[in-house]
C-alpha cells in the first residue's frame, strides 16, 4: 500500500486539539458556564477545520495512506503510534468533525453540570477520532474503549426516559462486544508470528490460514457489529437513543455506530478477507433482516426518538448489506451511507431535541400542527425525514442506490427485500412527519417560539452538508473509491 508520510502531524493535531479542549474545560470554574460553552465551541471547531482541510488536501491520484505518522512506542511488544488516513477514514474524520461541532452548538442552552458534560463529550470524541485514524491494533482497541466509556455517564446523568436502564444496557452490550474484539486481535497478533500490532504489516506480511481468518472475522463482526446495531445485537440502540440527551444522541447515532461498522471494515475486512468472503452470505442475511425489522418496528412506535432509533437500525443494515456484497459499488455505497446516515441522524436528533425542549414531550400523538407554530424547526425535521427516505439530491440517495445496485447483482432476493423494507421505512417516516408537523394543532403548543437564527446554525450546517453531497456525490465517491477499488482488486484472483 502506498504510504505518504506527513510533513506536519495533522492527525495528531486533531487529537491534541480535543485533549487540549478537555484540559482547558477542566481548569475553568464550573460556575462560568458561558466560558465553558465558548471554549467548547472553539476547540470543537479546530478538528472540524483540520478534517475539512485533510479531506480536500488528500491526493486522490496517489491514493493509499496519506498524512502518515509512525513512531515506535513499545518495541518489545511491537506497539506503534501509527496514524494515517485513506479514502475510508477521511469521510469518517470529516463526519466526526461536523457532528462534534454541531453537537456542541446544539447543547448551547445546557445549564445542568455544564463543565462535566462538555468534558465527557471531548473525551468521547477524542476516542472516536483516534479510532478512525489509528493503524495499530493496540491503539484501535484503546481508542475504541475510550470512545465508549463516557457514554454511561452522559446518559445516566443528563439523559431522560429510563436513563439508568438505557445507560446500563448500552454499557453491558458494548462491553460484551469489546470482550470479543480483544481476543480476536491477540489471536491474530500471536498466530502471525510477526510480533507486531501494526495493521498494515499484518495485512501484507502475515499468512493467516482460511480457518484463522474465519474464526477471527466472526469475532470482529459480532464485537464491532454490536456497536453498529447489527440485528439481532441491536436492542441497546433504540433504548440508548431515547435515554440520551440531544448532543449525545447526535454523536451516538451519528458517529459512534459508525465506529462499529468501521471496525468491521478496518480490522475484519483488512486482516481477514477470506473470512469476510466466507461469512458474507450470513452478513447479508442479518443486514436484510435488520433493514426490514427496523422499518416495521419503527412503524409501530409513538415516541419520536424510538422511531429514529429503529430507522437507524434499518439504515445501518444498508451499510452491512453493502459490505456483504464484496464489490466496489457495495463497499463504496456502504462507506457513503455511513457518512450520509451520520449527518442525517444528527439533524434528526437535533430537530427532535429542539421540539422536546419546548414541548417537553416526544410522544407523537401529543404533538401536531408544529409546522404552523414552528415552521423553521419543522423544515429541518422534514429535511431529515426526506434524507432518511432517500429522496434524490440528498446525500443518502446515492449511498443507498450504490448498495442496492450491488445487492441486486449479488443477492437479488435480499436486495428486493431490502428495497421493500425501505418503502416501509418511507411510510413510517411520512407518518411521523404528518402526525408531528401537520394535522390538528395541539393548543398547548400554539404559543411556542420558532427556532431563532443562532440555535438554527448547527441545523443549517447539517442541512448544507446533506445537500452538498447530494448534489455533488462525486466529491465523496471519488474519495472512497481511492480505497475501495484497489482493496477489491487485491481480493480478486
Amino acid at each position: 500500500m502506498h504510504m505518504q508520510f506527513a510533513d506536519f502531524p495533522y492527525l495528531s493535531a486533531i487529537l491534541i486539539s480535543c485533549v487540549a479542549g478537555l484540559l482547558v474545560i477542566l481548569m475553568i470554574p464550573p460556575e462560568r458556564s458561558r466560558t465553558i460553552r465558548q471554549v467548547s465551541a472553539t476547540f470543537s471547531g479546530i478538528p472540524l477545520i483540520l478534517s475539512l482541510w485533510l479531506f480536500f488536501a488528500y491526493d486522490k491520484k496517489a491514493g493509499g495512506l496519506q498524512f502518515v505518522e509512525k513512531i515506535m512506542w513499545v518495541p518489545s511488544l511491537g506497539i506503534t503510534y501509527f496514524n494515517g488516513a485513506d479514502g475510508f477514514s477521511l469521510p469518517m474524520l470529516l463526519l466526526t468533525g461536523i457532528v462534534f461541532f454541531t453537537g456542541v452548538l446544539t447543547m448551547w442552552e445546557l445549564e445542568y453540570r455544564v463543565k462535566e458534560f462538555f468534558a465527557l463529550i471531548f473525551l468521547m470524541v477524542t476516542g472516536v477520532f483516534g479510532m478512525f485514524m489509528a493503524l495499530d491494533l493496540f491503539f484501535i482497541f484503546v481508542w475504541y474503549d475510550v470512545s465508549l466509556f463516557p457514554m454511561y455517564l452522559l446518559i445516566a446523568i443528563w439523559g431522560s426516559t429510563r436513563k439508568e436502564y438505557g445507560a446500563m444496557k448500552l454499557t453491558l452490550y458494548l462491553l460484551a462486544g469489546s470482550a470479543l474484539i480483544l481476543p480476536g486481535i491477540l489471536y491474530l497478533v500471536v498466530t502471525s508470528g510477526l510480533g507486531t500490532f501494526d495493521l498494515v504489516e499484518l495485512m501484507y506480511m502475515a499468512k493467516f490460514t482460511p480457518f484463522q481468518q474465519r474464526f477471527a472475522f466472526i469475532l470482529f463482526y459480532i464485537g464491532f457489529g454490536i456497536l453498529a446495531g447489527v440485528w439481532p445485537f441491536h436492542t441497546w440502540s433504540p433504548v440508548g437513543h431515547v435515554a440520551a440527551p440531544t448532543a449525545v444522541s447526535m454523536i451516538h447515532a451519528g458517529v459512534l455506530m459508525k465506529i462499529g461498522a468501521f471496525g468491521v471494515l478496518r480490522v475484519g475486512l483488512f486482516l481477514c478477507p477470506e473470512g469476510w468472503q466466507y461469512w458474507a452470505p450470513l452478513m447479508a442475511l442479518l443486514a436484510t433482516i435488520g433493514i426490514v425489522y427496523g422499518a416495521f418496528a419503527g412503524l409501530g412506535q409513538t415516541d419520536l426518538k424510538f422511531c429514529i432509533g429503529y430507522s437507524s437500525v434499518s439504515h445501518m443494515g444498508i451499510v452491512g448489506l453493502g459490505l456483504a456484497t464484496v464489490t466496489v459499488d457495495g463497499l463504496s455505497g456502504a462507506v457513503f451511507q455511513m457518512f450520509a446516515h451520520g449527518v442525517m441522524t444528527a439533524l434528526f436528533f437535533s430537530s427532535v431535541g429542539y421540539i422536546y425542549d419546548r414541548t417537553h414531550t416526544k410522544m407523537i400523538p401529543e404533538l401536531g400542527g408544529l409546522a404552523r407554530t414552528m415552521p423553521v424547526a419543522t423544515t429541518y425535521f422534514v429535511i431529515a425525514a426526506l434524507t432518511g427516505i432517500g429522496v434524490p439530491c440528498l446525500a443518502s440517495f446515492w449511498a443507498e442506490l450504490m448498495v442496492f445496485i450491488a445487492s441486486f447483482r449479488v443477492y437479488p432476493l435480499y436486495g428486493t427485500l431490502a428495497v421493500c423494507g425501505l418503502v416501509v421505512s418511507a411510510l413510517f417516516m411520512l407518518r411521523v412527519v404528518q402526525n408531528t408537523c401537520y394535522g390538528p394543532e395541539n393548543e398547548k403548543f400554539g404559543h411556542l417560539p420558532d427556532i431563532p437564527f443562532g440555535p438554527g446554525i448547527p441545523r443549517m450546517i447539517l442541512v448544507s452538508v446533506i445537500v452538498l453531497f447530494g448534489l455533488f456525490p462525486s466529491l465523496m465517491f471519488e474519495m472512497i473509491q481511492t480505497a475501495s477499488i484497489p482493496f477489491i482488486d487485491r481480493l480478486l484472483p
Side-chain angles (χ1 to χ4, degrees):
M1 179 184 287
H2 167 74
M3 280 202 292
Q4 183 177 321
F5 283 81
D7 52 359
F8 179 82
Y10 296 101
L11 296 172
S12 291
I14 291 177
L15 294 177
I16 292 169
S17 64
C18 294
V19 175
L22 168 62
L23 295 177
V24 173
I25 289 170
L26 292 178
M27 289 188 286
I28 301 173
E31 61 273 15
R32 297 182 62 183
S33 57
R34 183 173 182 78
T35 305
I36 293 171
R37 293 190 198 98
Q38 291 170 339
V39 167
S40 300
T42 302
F43 278 92
S44 64
I46 296 172
L48 172 60
I49 293 170
L50 287 171
S51 60
L52 265 172
W53 189 90
L54 291 173
F55 187 86
F56 288 104
Y58 183 81
D59 186 346
K60 295 176 185 173
K61 290 184 179 176
L65 287 171
Q66 298 181 25
F67 317 110
V68 173
E69 306 159 4
K70 194 170 184 180
I71 303 170
M72 181 58 74
W73 188 48
V74 185
S76 58
L77 296 177
I79 299 174
T80 310
Y81 178 74
F82 185 11
N83 292 332
D86 62 3
F88 292 140
S89 58
L90 281 169
M92 298 300 103
L93 292 173
L94 180 60
L95 169 67
T96 307
I98 293 168
V99 175
F100 180 32
F101 181 66
T102 54
V104 168
L105 294 184
T106 299
M107 294 303 287
W108 195 260
E109 297 177 349
L110 179 72
E111 295 290 348
Y112 179 64
R113 300 178 72 169
V114 178
K115 176 175 177 172
E116 293 92 332
F117 179 84
F118 283 111
L120 286 169
I121 289 283
F122 270 77
L123 176 61
M124 179 170 66
V125 173
T126 302
V128 174
F129 274 123
M131 172 73 188
F132 286 140
M133 65 179 69
L135 292 166
D136 183 279
L137 292 175
F138 174 82
F139 277 98
I140 286 176
F141 183 73
V142 168
W143 290 128
Y144 178 82
D145 280 347
V146 168
S147 68
L148 301 183
F149 163 71
M151 283 297 295
Y152 176 82
L153 294 175
L154 285 166
I155 294 177
I157 298 175
W158 290 272
S160 59
T161 316
R162 302 174 72 198
K163 58 184 182 181
E164 291 85 2
Y165 171 74
M168 183 56 69
K169 185 171 186 177
L170 176 145
T171 303
L172 291 176
Y173 265 72
L174 300 187
L175 284 176
S178 184
L180 292 176
I181 295 167
L182 183 59
I185 289 175
L186 295 177
Y187 176 72
L188 289 186
V189 170
V190 172
T191 54
S192 72
L194 298 175
T196 180
F197 285 79
D198 185 324
L199 185 143
V200 176
E201 191 174 338
L202 288 169
M203 179 181 173
Y204 284 97
M205 302 299 292
K207 303 295 182 186
F208 298 119
T209 66
F211 171 79
Q212 290 171 338
Q213 294 194 37
R214 293 169 190 172
F215 175 68
F217 183 84
I218 199 65
L219 293 178
F220 295 135
Y221 177 66
I222 297 175
F224 285 117
I226 289 175
L227 184 52
V230 169
W231 188 93
F233 312 110
H234 68 284
T235 58
W236 64 271
S237 175
V239 176
H241 291 329
V242 171
T246 301
V248 177
S249 293
M250 290 171 66
I251 296 174
H252 182 190
V255 178
L256 275 183
M257 292 182 80
K258 311 306 174 293
I259 284 182
F262 188 79
V264 175
L265 167 63
R266 183 63 100 198
V267 181
L269 274 62
F270 269 50
L271 295 181
C272 311
E274 290 187 49
W276 172 32
Q277 290 165 304
Y278 178 81
W279 292 110
L282 176 65
M283 291 173 62
L285 173 64
L286 297 182
T288 305
I289 293 174
I291 294 170
V292 176
Y293 168 80
F296 277 100
L299 197 60
Q301 302 303 315
T302 55
D303 185 305
L304 276 176
K305 279 197 166 184
F306 263 123
C307 287
I308 304 171
Y310 280 109
S311 81
S312 290
V313 173
S314 186
H315 284 106
M316 288 304 291
I318 295 173
V319 175
L321 185 59
L323 294 178
T325 62
V326 199
T327 62
V328 170
D329 288 345
L331 188 54
S332 301
V335 177
F336 199 166
Q337 173 70 357
M338 288 160 64
F339 177 85
H341 177 259
V343 180
M344 179 272 288
T345 200
L347 178 61
F348 232 147
F349 279 116
S350 175
S351 302
V352 171
Y354 183 82
I355 293 171
Y356 177 73
D357 289 343
R358 268 62 190 173
T359 62
H360 302 292
T361 181
K362 306 188 297 298
M363 303 309 293
I364 297 172
E366 297 176 13
L367 299 168
L370 292 181
R372 285 187 285 278
T373 54
M374 294 189 283
V376 178
T378 301
T379 301
Y380 296 132
F381 186 81
V382 172
I383 292 174
L386 294 177
T387 309
I389 292 171
V391 169
C393 296
L394 298 175
S396 61
F397 169 77
W398 302 105
E400 293 172 8
L401 182 67
M402 295 294 283
V403 171
F404 289 137
I405 288 174
S407 61
F408 275 121
R409 289 174 181 158
V410 182
Y411 306 107
L413 176 61
Y414 296 158
T416 304
L417 291 172
V419 170
C420 292
L422 201 64
V423 172
V424 176
S425 180
L427 287 176
F428 96 72
M429 286 283 187
L430 292 174
R431 181 187 68 88
V432 168
V433 169
Q434 171 63 30
N435 294 342
T436 305
C437 306
Y438 303 98
E441 182 180 346
N442 189 330
E443 294 180 358
K444 285 196 303 183
F445 308 136
H447 65 286
L448 294 176
D450 199 358
I451 188 167
F453 178 79
I457 290 175
R459 285 88 175 178
M460 292 178 206
I461 295 172
L462 294 169
V463 169
S464 301
V465 173
I466 289 171
V467 174
L468 173 67
F469 288 103
L471 293 177
F472 304 101
S474 58
L475 286 173
M476 184 60 69
F477 271 128
E478 288 177 3
M479 170 64 69
I480 297 170
Q481 287 184 338
T482 60
S484 59
I485 290 176
F487 183 70
I488 294 295
D489 285 348
R490 184 168 168 266
L491 296 179
L492 299 177

